Every structure is written in C-alpha cells, then in structure tokens.
Amino acid sequence: MTAQDVMIRVTLPDGSVREYPKGSTGLEIAAQISEGLARNVLAAKVNGVVQDATRPIDTDATVQLLTWNDPEGKATFWHSSAHLLAEALESLYPGVKFGIGPAIETGFYYDVDLNGQHFSQDDFRKVEDKMLELARQKNAYVRKPVGKADAIAYFEEKGDPYKIDLLQGLEDGSITFYTQGGFTDLCRGPHIPNTGFIKAARLMNVAGAYWRGDEKNKMLTRIYAVTFPKQKELDDYLHLLEEAKKRDHRKLGKELDLFAFSEKVGQGLPLWLPKGALVRERLENFLRRAQVRAGYQPVVTPHIGSKQLYVTSGHWEKYGKDSFQPIHTPDEDEEFLLKPMNCPHHCEIYKTKPRSYRDLPLRLAEFGTVYRYEQSGELHGLTRVRGFTQDDAHIFCRPDQVKDEFMKVIDLVLYVFKSLGFNDYSAQVSLRDPENREKYIGSDELWERAESAIIEAAAEKGLTTVMELGEAAFYGPKLDFMVRDALGRKWQLGTIQVDYNLPNRFELEYVGADNQKHRPVMIHRAPFGSMERFIAILIENTAGNFPLWLSPDQIAILPISEKYEDYANDLFFALQEHDIRGFVDLRDEKIGRKIRDAEVNKVPYMLIVGEKEQADGTISVRRKGGAATGQGGDLGSMSVDAFVALFQQEVKL
C-alpha cells in the first residue's frame, strides 16, 4: 500500500464519519461534499483548532469547514484582509514598517509606522482601490515555517524593527511566515485560501496607538478597515452604521434631555436630567415590584467601605489597581474605598445575626451605586462609565436550593427581557480558564459544583447556551445573557453567578437541621446589569421610542389656540389621576409645529384640543408613527374615558 492509499477517518459536525486519503485538505474534503461548499470554505477547524483550509490533515480528526457565516471563518477572512491592507500600504508608501494586524469584532486594523509620510482619510480611497486591485489577482496565502535566526535576518534586511521585537518573544520552531503576492508577514495564521475571496473593502478610521500599548514607545498609525465577500454586504453594513449613528444613545440622550456629562463633575460620571431620572425610576420600580413578588428584601449600603472589607472579599487583590485610590481619614491607619462591588456589604448584612436553615434562602436586593476607575480613553457614553448603579441582589441559600433558586432567577431575567422587547438573546456559560487557575479563588471541587449547577439549570430551562472558557468572575462561574438589539449587535445584559467562595472568605454560617454549622452558597444576580448600560442599549434598541409605560412623557396635550388652554389644563389634571404623565404645550405655535416637535421628542400620544373637542368634552388623538405598537397616525376623536381605556390596554402589552 502506498502513502496515498492510507486513509483517515474524518468526523463532520453532523456526526457522520467519512474516509479520505491521508493528507487531504479541508478544501478537498469540501469539494467532495459539494462544489458550492468548496467555493465558500475559508478555513477548517480540525480537532478544535482553526487552520488553513489548504493544510493537509494527516490523522483521524473532527473537522468543521468554516465559511463567512461562522465567527471563526469571518475572523480568518478579516485577518487575511489585514495582510492585504499591509500589501497595499507597502506598495503605496515605500519604507512603511508594520506592527500587528489582528481581526476584531467589526473588521480588523493594522498598526503601521509610515516613516513620516502623511496619511489621512483623504487617502482612504486609493488604499481601498489598491486592496481590490491586489485581491483580484487571487494570490494564494502560502504558509512557510521559518527558523528564528532566518526570520530575524529577513526583517533586519527589510528594516522592520517591530517584527524583530515580536520575534524576541517567540520560540524557535514555532515561527511561520505567510506570503501573498509580493508581501510576506510574520504570522501564525490561519488564512483564507487566496485573496480572490475579498470583493469589497472600506477603510473606516485612522487613529494613533502606542507600540505594544506602552506610552513610552513610539506612536504608530492604526488603520481600521472592514472587508466583505460581496459588495452588497458592505453596502448593507454601511447602511447599518448610518442607522446606528441615528440611534447612538449619546446623540439621543442629548436630544431627548435624558442625561448629560460635565467635566467639572468628572469624566464618566453621568448626570441624570429630569426625563432620564423618570426612566430610571420607572425601570427600578418595575423591577422592585417583580422582586417583591419573588421574595426579595430591599437593603441599602454605603457608597464607601473599609479597605479591609475588600481585602477580605478578594476584590482588592484582584482589582485594586483598577479601583479608585484609597480614601485616607485623619486616623493614620484608616483607609476607605469607593464601593466597587455591593456583594461584600451584603455578606456583612448576612452576618448581622445567626441564621438557621429555615431562614434560607435569604434574598437581599439593592440598587447600589458602585465606582470603578476606567481610563479616560475607554469611557463611552453610558456604556462605559466610572460610577454606575447595579440592580444587584444576592441570594444566600443551602446547597440543595442552588439549582432551584438559579432557575427562578433565569425566569426573572427572561421576564425583564420580554417586558422590554429584547426577544433575540442567547445564554453564555462563563467558565474559568483551566490553564490559568491563579486568576481565581477557591478549590477545584467548589468550582466544579458551581459550574455543574449553572449548566444543569440552563439545560432544564431549555436555554440555548455556549460555553466560554476564561470568562468567569474570579470567585465563581456565571450565566451571561447576550442580547441582540434591533441592529443585530450583541450585548451582555443580565448575569447570574454561583459563588461558593465569598461565603468561605466571610465565614458565613447557618445552623442546619442536624444542629451543625454549615456554609451557605451565594448567588449573585443583576437582570439589568448596570442601569446606565441597560438604558443606553434600550435607547439604541428602540431609537428612543420607549414602551409607553416607560416613556418620560407619555402624552402631549396640544391646544389649537390659547382659547382652549383652560380645557387642556383641566384635561391634563384629569389624566394625571389615571397615572398618565406628560405636559401641555402652551407655546404660541401653529398646531402643525407642535405635532412635529412632539414627534421629534418621541412622545407616544398627542391629544389635540380645539373648539369641537371643548364643546363635546372629547379629544382628538394622534399616535406617534413608528412606535412600539406600529400603529401611528390619527386615531380620531374619542371621549376621555375611551382614551384612558386605550392607554391602559397598551400599557399592559
């Protein structure tokens, strides 16, 4: 039997097992399945590792053929596009030197040293054109193992100090080059088969970035870009970005008078304006009512705590460098911290008196404001701030109660999502990284018990889950809810965490039925996560068109002229009795202008009153177009009672 006759067994994602000659590539396997698949394969995942679709497979293996529709296929496409960008830059800017060019969630970037040459957005088009010119050559991405000495010699001759710097940290025998066309780069891959897959390219932004993120190093030029296998997909993406700009919570927050920032108050510290405070208050009241029904008890804790509290919890050791610096009092040895977490405070509440197994579960809830230091460059509207309020709660329960309590929290999170229109979500089981256990506290046994409880609870609830190693909190695994908004973007909102470790560190106890002392288990949960971030995402998801019950102004009463102002005011006070909130527009403006302004300000209902309405004791009702119900426009004349009934019916939706 010749080497070519040796067969390997390949297990495909559907569980089927097929035999192929040893040394077959992912592309060859795809071609035997279908020509259409072979035309779309970007990479192959072999025994869990993504590699070039053109690399031979020499042993029995599980194989997944990756296309643009797979996240890892898309990442491979974009990383290969970064090499294409570098090739275009090298041809247009002689002497350019290259740092790194990774794929990111929204495309890719390359950090480059242009050696003093000018580059701005005015140059984007010529680089894009060059990229597509090179892409049409369909040059293969060719992988080549290189010895460390030869690799260093290559980049020394080329005069590329950043690649030499990268090579210093690599082991001989692990180094590979990739070449496409006339461009060679230091890279471990993987890459798409050839440049011809890239049919559309757009440079998105240019910024500065210190080499290796160290401000002591040279500032490089970071060029952000995105590519697609079809021009239509790029067009759709650019349209989506325009929609995202319209929905940007920072823009809408200002236009709708919801929140503001002040340099004098401090970066990352939002100021909630009256309308924004109303939205917050209604969200909090909504969750408070749900929590009361679920057996939670409210607590309030201080905005600061003794440094020793966070030393005990482990937060100081893990996050001390990312916290605000300690607050010193006149007593020499006394130090406090702005509260970075609510959980240590709740542990101390638990310890205020002896607990029995009959007292558990104990569910403590708090809308607690916490403070964490974020670098100024990382702050972003309400989604990344330095002071934020968590809808935090901690459940202290017996080990036999963990799964049941966890599933009840899942029910609460899903109730919140349904009520606020977040219907497209998945659940991520965030586990510890088994290769980096020093990041975490607690024994292997406790971690395994906590992880098993989460996986079992999610399965019993029928949740679609993905497992993510290394995403756990330092004290325990968690279930993170990933929500897709109206633009298809993914956000982490609700989170639930199982924790066997903080009860140990705080020496929490309860007396069991056996009259012996036992440790409770702690479940951390936050359906909103952070109020600031949740509201930011809600603004963008709804484009500012909040559900009726949440709108800061639910109605605008619009008198046609000043003759009907008294009737409008009487109507306003009558509707307030039904907990319907809004305002009377008494400006000396034409009714058309008043209607347009109410629409712009996202007011759900406009109640127009004039001579006929006053005489009949009625109102002319107009619903804002494009609101949550999809029923915009003129709804006609109706009695006040009929409108109240209509309003209350929609609030219940």
Side-chain angles (χ1 to χ4, degrees):
M1 180 180 288
T2 66
Q4 285 76 12
D5 294 325
V6 176
M7 306 297 285
I8 58 172
R9 291 167 58 84
V10 171
T11 304
L12 298 171
D14 63 0
S16 64
V17 179
R18 303 188 185 190
E19 290 193 343
Y20 297 94
K22 179 181 179 181
S24 295
T25 67
L27 269 181
E28 290 167 343
I29 292 171
Q32 292 196 35
I33 296 173
S34 80
E35 290 183 8
L37 178 60
R39 286 195 299 270
N40 290 290
V41 167
L42 301 175
K45 193 172 185 179
V46 180
N47 292 330
V49 178
V50 182
Q51 65 179 45
D52 304 332
T54 53
R55 284 188 68 181
I57 303 170
D58 293 325
T59 62
D60 293 349
T62 60
V63 176
Q64 179 185 357
L65 301 170
L66 302 173
T67 69
W68 175 255
N69 295 323
D70 299 298
E72 290 155 312
K74 190 172 290 185
T76 303
F77 186 95
W78 280 337
H79 181 49
S80 301
S81 299
H83 283 231
L84 184 67
L85 168 62
E87 184 180 8
L89 290 170
E90 192 166 70
S91 67
L92 294 171
Y93 298 89
V96 62
K97 306 177 193 309
F98 297 100
I100 58 172
I104 56 177
E105 188 177 354
T106 54
F108 56 94
Y109 67 80
Y110 219 122
D111 288 343
V112 300
D113 180 349
L114 289 161
N115 210 17
Q117 299 173 84
H118 175 77
F119 185 84
S120 70
Q121 293 192 6
D122 294 338
D123 301 301
F124 283 8
R125 184 61 182 269
K126 71 177 181 181
V127 176
E128 293 163 2
D129 290 345
K130 191 64 177 180
M131 288 177 68
L132 295 178
E133 175 192 325
L134 294 169
R136 287 191 290 271
Q137 296 175 9
K138 298 184 179 180
N139 292 317
Y141 287 88
V142 180
R143 180 179 184 272
K144 177 185 177 184
V146 182
K148 188 169 184 175
D150 290 339
I152 291 173
Y154 175 85
F155 286 110
E156 283 179 342
E157 182 178 351
K158 190 179 179 185
D160 214 331
Y162 307 104
K163 298 298 181 182
I164 296 171
D165 189 8
L166 292 170
L167 280 164
Q168 303 307 321
L170 300 180
E171 292 185 10
D172 204 355
S174 68
I175 298 166
T176 52
F177 282 2
Y178 274 85
T179 299
Q180 91 273 1
F183 179 74
T184 296
D185 205 351
L186 169 69
C187 184
R188 67 183 178 207
H191 286 286
I192 61 178
N194 65 70
T195 60
F197 285 82
I198 302 166
K199 297 293 198 327
R202 179 63 62 92
L203 271 58
M204 303 302 299
N205 195 16
V206 60
Y210 291 110
W211 172 237
R212 292 190 176 272
D214 188 340
E215 61 185 16
K216 296 177 182 177
N217 291 334
K218 184 172 182 177
M219 175 77 77
L220 304 183
T221 300
R222 176 168 292 180
I223 302 172
Y224 291 92
V226 67
T227 53
F228 290 89
K230 296 178 181 177
Q231 179 63 41
K232 184 180 184 304
E233 290 176 322
L234 173 59
D235 295 339
D236 290 345
Y237 176 73
L238 296 175
H239 174 71
L240 200 66
L241 290 182
E242 287 303 312
E243 285 298 306
K245 288 179 184 177
K246 296 176 188 175
R247 292 168 176 258
D248 190 314
H249 75 277
R250 296 167 298 175
K251 173 178 176 286
L252 288 172
K254 183 176 182 179
E255 292 175 356
L256 300 177
D257 287 329
L258 298 176
F259 61 89
F261 290 91
S262 162
E263 288 189 9
K264 285 187 172 64
V265 172
Q267 295 184 84
L269 300 172
L271 301 171
W272 290 94
L273 307 180
K275 289 183 180 181
L278 276 173
V279 172
R280 273 184 64 125
E281 181 182 359
R282 288 172 195 168
L283 281 172
E284 289 182 11
N285 289 339
F286 159 75
L287 188 55
R288 281 194 177 99
R289 289 192 295 270
Q291 288 178 162
V292 168
R293 293 194 298 268
Y296 288 84
Q297 300 178 61
V299 295
V300 177
T301 60
H303 287 250
I304 65 173
S306 166
K307 177 182 172 181
Q308 189 56 44
L309 178 70
Y310 307 110
V311 171
T312 300
S313 69
H315 289 101
W316 176 252
E317 178 187 355
K318 297 293 180 180
Y319 299 118
K321 292 180 180 178
D322 298 323
S323 300
F324 287 96
Q325 293 305 299
I327 302 166
H328 297 272
T329 73
D331 292 341
E332 186 176 340
D333 297 326
E334 193 173 45
E335 290 182 298
F336 288 85
L337 290 179
L338 287 170
K339 179 171 62 174
M341 297 278 187
N342 298 301
C343 33
H345 296 251
H346 291 191
C347 288
E348 289 298 304
I349 289 176
Y350 180 94
K351 291 182 71 173
T352 54
K353 65 180 183 180
R355 308 284 179 179
S356 160
Y357 72 97
R358 294 187 181 91
D359 300 325
L360 305 181
L362 175 66
R363 307 179 186 96
L364 304 179
E366 175 181 18
F367 287 89
T369 302
V370 297
Y371 304 89
R372 299 177 192 171
Y373 176 73
E374 300 279 1
Q375 295 184 40
S376 59
E378 296 177 341
L379 299 173
H380 183 83
L382 294 181
T383 59
R384 199 74 179 264
V385 289
R386 288 176 171 173
F388 56 94
T389 301
Q390 294 178 305
D391 59 320
D392 223 350
H394 298 93
I395 303 167
F396 300 89
C397 59
R398 305 190 307 265
D400 63 292
Q401 297 171 320
V402 170
K403 189 164 76 171
D404 186 54
E405 287 299 310
F406 199 93
M407 289 195 293
K408 288 177 181 176
V409 178
I410 291 175
D411 288 338
L412 180 61
V413 172
L414 298 185
Y415 167 71
V416 169
F417 286 1
K418 181 180 178 182
S419 299
L420 290 161
F422 289 109
N423 299 314
D424 186 1
Y425 58 83
S426 60
Q428 174 179 300
V429 181
S430 298
L431 308 172
R432 66 175 174 169
D433 181 354
E435 303 299 323
N436 192 11
R437 297 192 178 187
E438 66 272 10
K439 286 174 56 179
Y440 313 97
I441 60 175
S443 68
D444 290 348
E445 179 189 359
L446 293 180
W447 272 89
E448 288 163 6
R449 287 165 63 183
E451 291 175 346
S452 296
I454 291 178
I455 293 168
E456 290 173 14
E460 289 193 27
K461 281 296 177 184
L463 292 177
T464 301
T465 58
V466 295
M467 306 290 177
E468 290 290 345
L469 295 178
E471 295 298 319
F474 76 90
Y475 50 77
K478 54 183 179 168
L479 185 68
D480 293 323
F481 287 84
M482 315 301 291
V483 175
R484 286 197 182 276
D485 66 14
L487 297 177
R489 298 169 301 182
K490 187 183 288 186
W491 301 90
Q492 181 200 322
L493 294 183
T495 185
I496 320 171
Q497 304 166 5
V498 176
D499 180 5
Y500 284 84
N501 289 307
L502 285 190
N504 277 340
R505 295 179 76 96
F506 280 93
E507 300 179 338
L508 305 185
E509 296 176 340
Y510 67 90
V511 177
D514 57 2
N515 211 32
Q516 299 298 310
K517 291 182 178 180
H518 300 272
R519 287 268 188 265
V521 183
M522 197 172 173
I523 297 175
H524 308 242
R525 51 112 282 206
F528 292 145
S530 124
M531 295 295 293
E532 283 71 12
R533 189 173 192 219
F534 190 90
I535 291 173
I537 295 164
L538 186 62
I539 290 170
E540 297 192 2
N541 192 50
T542 63
N545 296 301
F546 294 117
L548 180 59
W549 65 271
L550 192 55
S551 295
D553 288 316
Q554 297 166 318
I555 60 167
I557 302 177
L558 313 177
I560 290 176
S561 73
E562 64 180 11
K563 291 189 292 184
Y564 311 110
E565 288 181 1
D566 289 344
Y567 178 61
N569 285 323
D570 291 343
L571 177 62
F572 178 66
F573 292 123
L575 292 175
Q576 279 188 315
E577 294 299 312
H578 296 280
D579 198 28
I580 298 175
R581 299 168 298 275
F583 61 93
V584 181
D585 188 342
L586 299 176
R587 296 177 301 161
D588 184 19
E589 295 284 357
K590 292 182 178 180
I591 192 64
R593 173 64 183 272
K594 291 182 179 182
I595 290 172
R596 284 194 300 274
D597 289 349
E599 289 262 359
V600 167
N601 287 304
K602 318 286 187 182
V603 180
Y605 280 105
M606 289 146 275
L607 310 182
I608 301 163
V609 294
E611 181 179 2
K612 186 176 187 304
E613 288 79 16
Q614 180 172 274
D616 297 341
T618 61
I619 48 179
S620 181
V621 180
R622 182 180 180 85
R623 186 65 165 91
K624 183 191 179 306
T629 62
Q631 299 174 348
D634 188 2
L635 303 184
S637 180
M638 64 183 72
S639 68
V640 175
D641 288 343
F643 173 72
V644 170
L646 173 70
F647 181 96
Q648 292 177 341
Q649 179 61 35
E650 185 178 335
V651 164
K652 292 178 183 177
L653 291 178

